[in-house]
Amino acid sequence: MRPSLLPRRTGYWLQLALTLLVCAFMTVPVVLSVLAGLTNNIFVGVSSGLTTRWLAEVWALYRNTIFLSLGIALACLACTLVIGVPAAYYMALRRNRVTRLIEELLMLPVALPGLATALGLILLYGSFQGLRTSWVFILIGHVVFTLPFMVRAVLAILAAIDIRTLEDAAASLGATRLQRFFTVVLPNCRQGILAGALMVVTLSVGEFNLTWMLHTPTTQTLPVGLADSYASMRLEIGSAYTIVFFVMIIPLLVFMQALSALGARTRRHALPADAAAVLPAGAPPVTPVAERRHA
């Protein structure tokens, strides 16, 4: 072996060892928690035997929190898409002091502690009794907390693709503002939307601090139920609740990641058909460059 290769091999093995240590640091506590939810007695350990009765108890006691968390997460995703994507589109087109100020104000709920944001929402909307005891109140808090992540993800993509140039090109072909938004902007910022959607759903499902202040006994979500199970039940039930949380969230993350990868592959192999969609009526169709070269 040549001497010049030795430092490279040493650096590779050091990086691999560091990576494995970080992975172990992050995954070992999770594995122990999962094992605790499947053992008969956590204080005796695995030698006490494995069981699924704790999972059955969690399902019997807290299954409503699972469905409520999923519903709130999907409703939060819909709200952030309807509000955040047009907002990012507007700010990308008009980069001035006002839009930059709006962007910074949107980040305030992320910078502030969740308890402080929840307290502000209670002071503002707490007098509306029907809203205060409804899951919609938690949804409002989740939208306030997750909206900046959707806006930032979409805004980063729109800034990278120079959306103003695409807008001007589509407008020169006669496309209206609505046509430009649906046929040019949305297809080009698909990856930003998917990345923002992934963050919104995961943050909404796992949000605890803000939700703990806003929830009522009838509107417990997954993280609040998890904290309640660890505080008032046996540790085995709390650990089993963690297993339920993983079973619910991991397939969702895998699905959204696969959707994002599929969108990236589709974008790489798609023909330039977006320009044809915004042509005014009667205009000649757009011919792909490869076809023009062989004509």
Side-chain angles (χ1 to χ4, degrees):
M1 182 182 296
R2 289 181 298 177
S4 59
L5 295 178
L6 290 176
R8 295 182 183 178
R9 290 289 182 91
T10 304
Y12 168 77
W13 289 112
L14 287 176
Q15 290 179 354
L16 179 61
L18 179 61
T19 303
L20 293 176
L21 284 174
V22 172
C23 290
F25 177 77
M26 297 179 65
T27 58
V28 168
V30 175
V31 173
L32 292 177
S33 180
V34 170
L35 285 177
L38 296 174
T39 57
N40 278 308
N41 192 321
I42 190 174
F43 299 104
V44 177
V46 180
S47 59
S48 64
L50 300 178
T51 181
T52 59
R53 65 173 176 146
W54 307 121
L55 292 173
E57 289 194 30
V58 166
W59 182 255
L61 292 171
Y62 296 105
R63 63 177 178 270
N64 291 335
T65 66
I66 299 172
F67 298 120
L68 181 61
S69 291
L70 279 176
I72 290 176
L74 294 177
C76 182
L77 175 60
C79 292
T80 53
L81 285 173
V82 172
I83 301 171
V85 176
Y89 172 50
Y90 177 83
M91 287 189 286
L93 287 179
R94 293 169 174 81
R95 299 301 289 169
N96 51 44
R97 293 181 179 179
V98 175
T99 56
R100 290 188 179 90
L101 177 61
I102 294 173
E103 186 178 350
E104 295 303 321
L105 290 176
L106 282 174
M107 296 304 297
L108 279 179
V110 180
L112 293 174
L115 297 177
T117 303
L119 181 60
L121 291 174
I122 292 173
L123 293 175
L124 186 60
Y125 301 111
S127 58
F128 300 97
Q129 188 61 30
L131 178 63
R132 180 67 184 88
T133 57
S134 171
W135 63 269
V136 178
F137 197 44
I138 299 176
L139 173 63
I140 293 173
H142 284 204
V143 171
V144 170
F145 177 67
T146 59
L147 183 62
F149 295 93
M150 177 63 75
V151 172
R152 278 295 180 91
V154 177
L155 193 59
I157 294 294
L158 292 178
I161 63 176
D162 192 7
I163 192 62
R164 183 176 291 277
T165 301
L166 293 177
E167 272 268 315
D168 293 341
S172 67
L173 295 172
T176 64
R177 174 58 62 85
L178 201 60
Q179 286 178 312
R180 297 198 296 269
F181 179 73
F182 283 103
T183 61
V184 177
V185 176
L186 289 184
N188 280 282
C189 67
R190 184 187 299 122
Q191 290 303 110
I193 293 174
L194 290 173
L198 180 64
M199 288 187 287
V200 166
V201 171
T202 53
L203 288 172
S204 177
V205 172
E207 212 312 299
F208 172 75
N209 292 329
L210 187 148
T211 310
W212 184 79
M213 283 283 289
L214 299 181
H215 90 283
T216 63
T218 59
T219 57
Q220 279 191 348
T221 61
L222 262 173
V224 176
L226 179 61
D228 178 72
S229 66
Y230 271 112
S232 59
M233 304 288 179
R234 293 186 55 162
L235 290 178
E236 294 90 345
I237 294 182
S239 298
Y241 203 124
T242 304
I243 298 175
V244 174
F245 187 90
F246 284 139
V247 169
M248 192 193 78
I249 195 66
I250 290 178
L252 185 62
L253 293 178
V254 171
F255 171 75
M256 297 191 71
Q257 290 281 14
L259 192 63
S260 177
L262 179 63
R265 289 196 299 268
T266 303
R267 181 175 173 78
R268 283 197 299 268
H269 298 292
L271 291 174
D274 290 336
V278 298
L279 283 174
V286 176
T287 305
V289 175
E291 292 186 14
R292 293 198 299 265
R293 287 176 179 173
H294 296 289

